[in-house]
Amino acid sequence: MLTIGKLATLLGMTVDTLRFYEREGLLAPASKSEGGYRLYDEDSVVRLRFIKQARDCGFTLGEIEQLLVLRGQSEACCGDVRRRAIEKKLQLEGKIRALAAMSKALDHLIADCSNETHPIDGCPILAALEKATTSSDVEGNK
Amino acid sequence: MKIELFYAPGCDKCAANRENLKAAASEHVPDVEWCELNVLDHMEYAVDLGVLTLPAIAIDGVLEFPSLPKVKQFADAIARKAASLERS
């Protein structure tokens, strides 16, 4: 049995993170010591490794909770989990595309500002950002 | 009218009602082109259309149902679309 501090050290997490997971219902102590300290078993270690890996793959805590529920359902099948993984990939691919578009927009702004010694009040990047904000405000007010 | 259903192999939710939806499509739109796309083989296209959950249905290249519709809801939508296409 491990205390929360030992569990956090073992998994390279902070005690605050584990307490947060506990408040969110993702983790529960297996028992309590005579002194009232919460104690965690091997199942908690496995569960936390699962949470950590799923977080690294981009799953939200809500989605991880659903995956943990599926993991405990004998009638669930691999297809349910696979579908969720594919949906996460679709979301990530969409985000990657949006980030690439942002990066490209920055390329244009950077290219427009070829003179780095130019005074700040004539900075083409700031001017372009200002212009973009103004035009989107106008569009938003239509 | 072209209807594209994005699915994942082995996904029970994707298989549910698939035949009923296909039958509804044929009933309301006689010349319907029904396509079932494995999202893993069409990831780029699915991302283009904004597919985020499965199954999803696109009509004429537009994502109309981001999640599985009820058969009646689907039938009503394609009947409306077919009527508006006929008018134009």
Side-chain angles (χ1 to χ4, degrees):
Chain A
M1 287 287 186
L2 298 165
T3 60
I4 197 162
K6 284 184 178 162
L7 184 64
T9 307
L10 178 71
L11 292 157
M13 294 174 167
T14 65
V15 169
D16 283 347
T17 301
L18 300 191
R19 288 201 178 117
F20 173 69
Y21 289 162
E22 221 173 288
R23 282 199 301 277
E24 293 294 311
L26 292 167
L27 179 70
S31 62
K32 279 194 174 178
S33 70
E34 283 180 9
Y37 290 104
R38 286 168 292 188
L39 297 171
Y40 302 84
D41 59 8
E42 183 58 28
D43 188 50
S44 299
V45 176
V46 173
R47 202 174 168 86
L48 282 167
R49 285 201 174 116
F50 180 101
I51 294 169
K52 199 176 175 189
Q53 184 69 21
R55 290 284 278 169
D56 288 347
C57 290
F59 287 100
T60 63
L61 286 187
E63 290 164 341
I64 293 170
E65 198 174 355
Q66 290 172 0
L67 287 173
L68 286 165
V69 170
L70 276 176
R71 181 171 161 256
Q73 282 176 351
S74 54
E75 69 273 20
C77 65
C78 205
D80 297 323
V81 179
R82 193 166 184 259
R83 176 179 57 79
R84 283 163 205 260
I86 294 171
E87 287 175 348
K88 183 50 64 184
K89 184 174 165 61
L90 282 164
Q91 291 168 21
L92 292 177
E93 292 290 336
K95 279 185 188 168
I96 289 167
R97 203 174 277 194
L99 288 173
M102 287 182 204
S103 177
K104 207 169 177 180
L106 286 174
D107 280 344
H108 290 304
L109 293 178
I110 293 163
D112 285 346
C113 178
S114 51
N115 183 2
E116 60 269 27
T117 59
H118 212 281
I120 196 74
D121 58 355
C123 172
I125 295 178
L126 294 180
L129 289 173
E130 212 167 273
K131 199 174 156 194
T133 310
T134 310
S135 59
S136 64
D137 284 349
V138 172
E139 275 173 26
N141 291 332
K142 274 182 188 171
Chain B
M1 188 187 295
K2 186 176 182 181
I3 298 179
E4 293 164 311
L5 180 131
F6 290 90
Y7 73 97
C11 158
D12 289 343
K13 201 175 154 192
C14 303
N17 265 338
R18 189 192 299 189
E19 287 309 313
N20 291 335
L21 292 171
K22 191 175 174 181
S26 305
E27 189 186 323
H28 288 84
V29 189
D31 61 341
V32 70
E33 189 187 339
W34 178 269
C35 308
E36 293 179 6
L37 305 179
N38 177 349
V39 75
L40 292 173
D41 295 334
H42 300 273
M43 186 61 71
E44 283 285 307
Y45 181 47
V47 175
D48 283 347
L49 296 189
V51 174
L52 292 174
T53 54
L54 296 170
I57 297 176
I59 301 176
D60 290 333
V62 177
L63 183 66
E64 297 282 353
F65 295 100
S67 57
L68 190 70
K70 290 196 169 73
V71 175
K72 187 176 181 315
Q73 188 191 1
F74 175 70
D76 289 348
I78 56 170
R80 271 199 307 274
K81 195 147 184 111
S84 90
L85 283 175
E86 246 175 53
R87 278 197 300 274
S88 60

